[in-house]
């Protein structure tokens, strides 16, 4: 925003003033006193050659016997000082010109506009607004000029943290000019500052329509929907972004997975997490993937994910082993149980082994592990297993 403001003066207002002083209508020239006109001719020649220092010296030494002479010279000095990089001198010269109120209407308006633009570059927003608002009501200006002035008004209010007024200004601009990323960005910034989340979603959709490949707009749209607690639209936005070729970060993909899960589509949540984990596994992500596969009843994929998670966090071998037992993967369960290294789980592990060997019809081994479980931690469950297996082996 500040960089844009620094470029304001060079785009239009200086050009208008510069052309105006180089090619004067005969009526304006006639109003200058003869002595002033002769002295200004040399300054005009220096300006034409972009010899700004010499032009400034010529103007500073020019005779100014009338108010009009003085205003006209100051108007020219405003341009020359700005070209020399002496912004404060340019502002003072233009203030002297516009405050005289002797310039022709068009010259007065152009001078006021350049002055306002220069004030913006110096962060003098309220001073600039005192000039912009009357200009916005000038009927002689074109629709395009009115649109540009309302854009400046919006920028000034935004920089001065007057976001409601900035929003009114940018809306006035957009009624007069086609929407561009720069103007819509200013509108969006005002809406976000004012917490106008619904409005921000509409603006972001406009920005996406213009710049569909810009990731920032998609992610900000997700954020606005999040503020509205609209999880369905959050997910839709992320899905549409990926279809547009937007590359999501791992954290953004994890958000998508969580949204899929919350919308009751755990298989898609798991598939997204599987993609995330291809780029580099960590325990948290693997646990998310495993949980989602489990919710989706994709048992083999869930067991595999739990086992990978257990590589860094061995406590998950127990989870993988239990899931394997529940779904008939008894040999797999036994190999996983061998990796469970938790003294508090020792008795449970032995009972799990008893169950696995029983299912595999290896009853002697099943009974051995049931007795070990009972020795570690006697319980009604271990007693029942011993009784059951003892009768079964007879």
């Amino acid at each position: 925003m500040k960089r844009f403001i620094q470029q304001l003066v060079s785009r239009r207002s200086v050009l208008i003033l510069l052309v105006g002083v180089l090619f004067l209508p005969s009526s304006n020239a006639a109003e200058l006193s003869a002595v002033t006109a002769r002295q200004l001719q040399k300054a005009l020649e220096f300006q034409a050659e972009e010899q700004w220092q010499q032009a400034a010296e010529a103007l500073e030494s020019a005779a100014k016997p009338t108010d009009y002479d003085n205003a006209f010279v100051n108007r020219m000095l405003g341009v020359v000082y700005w070209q020399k990089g002496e912004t404060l001198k340019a502002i003072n010269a233009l203030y002297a010109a516009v405050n005289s109120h002797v310039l022709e209407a068009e010259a007065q308006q152009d001078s006021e506009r350049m002055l306002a633009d220069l004030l913006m570059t110096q962060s003098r927003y309220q001073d600039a607004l005192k000039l912009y608002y009357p200009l916005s009501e000038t009927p002689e200006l074109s629709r395009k000029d009115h649109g540009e002035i309302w854009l400046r008004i919006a920028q000034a209010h935004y920089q001065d943290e007057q976001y409601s007024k900035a929003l009114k200004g940018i809306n006035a601009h957009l009624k007069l000019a086609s929407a561009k990323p720069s103007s819509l960005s200013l509108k969006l910034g005002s809406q976000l500052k004012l917490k106008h989340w619904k409005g921000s979603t509409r603006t972001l959709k406009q920005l996406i329509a213009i710049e569909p490949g810009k990731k920032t707009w998609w992610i900000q749209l997700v954020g606005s929907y999040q503020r509205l607690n609209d999880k369905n639209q959050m997910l839709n936005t992320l899905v549409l972004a990926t279809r547009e070729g937007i590359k999501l970060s791992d954290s953004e993909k994890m958000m998508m997975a969580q949204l899929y899960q919350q919308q009751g589509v755990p298989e898609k949540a798991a598939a997204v997490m599987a993609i995330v984990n291809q780029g580099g596994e960590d325990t948290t992500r693997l646990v998310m993937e495993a949980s989602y596969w489990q919710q989706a009843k994709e048992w083999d994929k869930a067991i595999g994910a739990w086992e990978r998670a257990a590589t860094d966090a061995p406590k998950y071998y127990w989870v993988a082993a239990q899931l394997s037992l529940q779904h008939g993967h008894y040999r797999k369960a036994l190999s996983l149980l061998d990796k469970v290294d938790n003294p508090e789980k020792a008795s449970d592990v032995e009972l799990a082994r008893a169950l696995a060997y029983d299912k595999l019809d290896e009853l002697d081994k099943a009974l051995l592990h049931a007795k070990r479980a009972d020795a570690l931690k006697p319980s009604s469950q271990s007693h029942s297993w011993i009784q059951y297996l003892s009768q079964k082996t007879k």
Side-chain angles (χ1 to χ4, degrees), residues 181 204-219 237 240-247:
L204 282 161
K205 287 177 181 178
Q206 287 181 277
L207 283 163
I208 287 170
I210 298 171
E211 297 182 318
K214 189 166 182 178
K215 180 179 177 180
T216 300
W217 307 139
W218 292 98
I219 300 306
T237 301
L240 288 173
T242 57
R243 290 176 184 172
E244 283 289 340
I246 301 298
K247 293 184 178 180

Side-chain angles (χ1 to χ4, degrees), residues 13-129:
S13 50
V14 170
L15 179 62
I16 290 174
L17 287 188
L18 188 54
V19 171
V21 296
L22 287 174
F23 304 100
L24 298 174
S26 57
S27 61
N28 283 0
E31 293 181 25
L32 288 169
S33 64
V35 63
T36 303
R38 288 194 298 271
Q39 290 175 295
L40 293 188
Q41 186 59 44
K42 191 62 178 176
L44 290 171
E45 292 172 5
F46 285 132
Q47 278 189 292
E49 297 297 323
E50 297 187 1
Q51 296 177 351
W52 306 112
Q53 179 59 38
Q54 294 90 328
E57 292 172 357
L59 290 167
E60 288 166 351
S61 62
K64 301 182 282 287
T66 69
D67 290 342
Y68 182 83
D69 291 335
N70 190 49
F72 194 86
V73 169
N74 276 312
R75 182 180 180 227
M76 291 179 65
L77 275 170
V79 177
V80 172
Y81 284 142
W82 181 82
Q83 293 285 2
K84 289 173 82 261
E86 297 177 339
T87 306
L88 293 180
K89 282 188 176 182
I91 288 172
N92 290 335
L94 287 169
Y95 259 128
V98 301
N99 286 341
S100 68
H101 298 288
V102 295
L103 295 171
E104 293 78 7
E106 185 175 357
Q108 179 78 9
Q109 291 160 11
D110 291 339
S111 300
E112 289 172 353
R113 186 164 176 182
M114 181 181 178
L115 175 56
D117 290 349
L118 285 170
L119 290 166
M120 287 279 283
T121 69
Q122 301 302 299
S123 302
R124 293 171 61 178
Y125 306 119
Q126 290 303 314
D127 290 336
L129 286 166

Side-chain angles (χ1 to χ4, degrees), residues 162-182:
Q162 297 175 315
Y163 302 116
S164 292
K165 292 181 178 180
L167 189 56
K168 290 179 181 178
I170 200 62
N171 283 335
H173 163 76
L174 290 169
K175 289 179 181 177
L176 299 167
S178 59
K180 296 180 180 179
S182 56

